[in-house]
Amino acid sequence: MKFSDKLLARLRRAESICVLTGAGISAESGVPTFRGGDGLWKKFKPEELANFDAFIRNPDVVWEWYAYRKKVIQEVVPNPAHVALAELEKLVTDFTLVTQNVDNLHRRAGSMRVLELHGNIERSYCISCRKKFPDVKPPDNRTAPRCDTCGGLIRPDVVWFGELLPQDVFAEAEKAAARCDLFLCIGTSAVVYPAAMLPSTALNHGAYLVEINAEYTDLSSRAHESLLGKAGTIVPAIVQALHTLRNPTP
Ligand code: BV8
Ligand code: ZN
């Protein structure tokens, strides 16, 4: 795969790289995205499912959706894009991986330091006493599980619409975006805030912004480069290019 001289120059001298990933990086593992063709939101409306009021109104329906997503995630494996980012983390001194995904695939691919802005579907907690439940299984995949200590409703440990992101995690992501020289935005429609602010933060601080996506997005007009194609092909190629730049064959 050929990259521009500008991107190669930025890769060669990059001391600090920040990466933001979205559902698109997990698509080739078989995890449905939210807004794509067969996206999750096509069948379900986000406002009907990914928010606290919907959960209180309809805990069983919301859990049916999360039980389905947890099942999908248990059946899939990280793809070459996840693996390449775990590799990239070892090659760059100051490397920060920020994800909007809740599927834990970056960690399963070997990434050691992952900033999860929207939580993690493999964790749950009781809404009444906040007791943590590592990987709860809804009794019959349809009924919302209850806390064995206080009987309260258990919810997935993800950030729903209208809920605050973990402030310490987001602050760290913002700092990484502000200090990086290269920002890679991979597989996100860049429409969910405040995560979607991170590429602009990087841009405003002089970073070279590269988008990797199957199609153009709201971000494309502001990115220095939009590399159209599959993350599973492009991301490994970028990491390979960095390897070659850093270890030129004699
Ligand atoms: C909050 C739950 C405030 C977890 C999700 C401005 C500032 C702050 C907030 C807002 C704001 N404007 C609007 C808001 C409200 C809202 C928001 O952003 N709404 C949007 C829709 C307009 N934001 C919030 O509510 C956030 N909370 O800010 O609270 C607050 C203030 C005070 C007090 C209290 C609260 C919370 C946001 C988090 C919501 N939770 N999900 C879960 O169950 O997963 S959002 C959901 O969308 C997912 O988490 C997902 O991560 C996220 C983003 O989606 P993407 O990852 O981008 O996925 P998508 O399908 O959209 O796109 C996939 C892309 O991949 C596509 O571009 C496709 O082309 C590409 N692709 C596909 N295949 C491939 C590929 N690319 C490469 N290779 C491939 N093979
Ligand atoms: Zn409880």
Side-chain angles (χ1 to χ4, degrees):
M1 187 159 182
K2 215 151 145 42
F3 296 112
S4 70
D5 294 345
K6 270 199 178 158
L7 175 52
L8 292 175
R10 285 282 179 153
L11 268 174
R12 184 182 294 110
R13 59 168 198 267
E15 313 224 312
S16 165
I17 297 183
C18 186
V19 176
L20 172 67
T21 62
I25 199 168
S26 299
E28 290 159 81
S29 294
V31 183
T33 60
F34 291 88
R35 297 168 185 82
D38 59 348
L40 287 164
W41 295 145
K42 283 271 172 306
K43 294 193 263 304
F44 309 100
K45 290 250 161 309
E47 42 286 355
E48 282 165 12
L49 287 165
N51 75 61
F52 187 72
D53 299 342
F55 177 66
I56 293 302
R57 242 190 347 267
N58 236 325
D60 295 353
V61 170
V62 171
W63 259 108
E64 191 184 346
W65 186 50
Y66 279 94
Y68 156 68
R69 290 176 61 196
K70 282 161 85 88
K71 189 166 166 304
V72 166
I73 286 164
Q74 266 138 22
E75 288 159 4
V76 301
V77 292
N79 67 56
H82 295 108
V83 174
L85 290 181
E87 183 58 28
L88 190 57
E89 181 180 47
K90 296 182 205 139
L91 295 174
V92 181
T93 19
D94 177 16
F95 179 80
T96 305
L97 173 55
V98 186
T99 189
Q100 301 169 88
N101 299 341
V102 296
D103 59 28
N104 210 34
L105 286 176
H106 284 303
R107 256 202 212 92
R108 287 176 54 193
S111 290
M112 305 302 281
R113 215 173 130 259
V114 185
L115 298 182
E116 291 176 321
L117 296 182
H118 295 163
N120 184 318
I121 200 171
E122 295 187 352
R123 298 190 303 259
S124 304
Y125 63 88
C126 168
I127 62 170
S128 312
C129 71
R130 313 252 343 155
K131 178 177 177 183
K132 291 188 180 3
F133 290 85
D135 198 4
V136 76
K137 291 218 183 344
D140 54 3
N141 269 349
R142 300 183 70 87
T143 331
R146 292 272 171 177
C147 173
D148 54 5
T149 307
C150 77
L153 274 172
I154 296 176
R155 61 165 283 176
D157 186 7
V158 297
V159 178
W160 280 330
F161 285 104
E163 293 185 328
L164 271 178
L165 277 60
Q167 294 302 291
D168 51 345
V169 175
F170 187 64
E172 217 182 313
E174 271 188 315
K175 276 190 272 171
R179 71 167 181 267
C180 72
D181 7 270
L182 178 61
F183 191 99
L184 304 178
C185 199
I186 306 172
T188 181
S189 54
V191 293
V192 174
Y193 285 83
M197 275 158 46
L198 294 172
S200 311
T201 305
L203 259 187
N204 299 340
H205 285 78
Y208 195 71
L209 174 60
V210 177
E211 173 185 46
I212 296 153
N213 201 306
E215 58 193 19
Y216 288 113
T217 69
D218 294 359
L219 189 66
S220 306
S221 53
R222 284 178 293 137
H224 289 98
E225 297 190 33
S226 277
L227 305 178
L228 284 195
K230 289 180 176 281
T233 312
I234 299 175
V235 180
I238 289 181
V239 177
Q240 185 49 51
L242 182 61
H243 259 301
T244 316
L245 289 165
R246 300 254 164 118
N247 315 295
T249 34

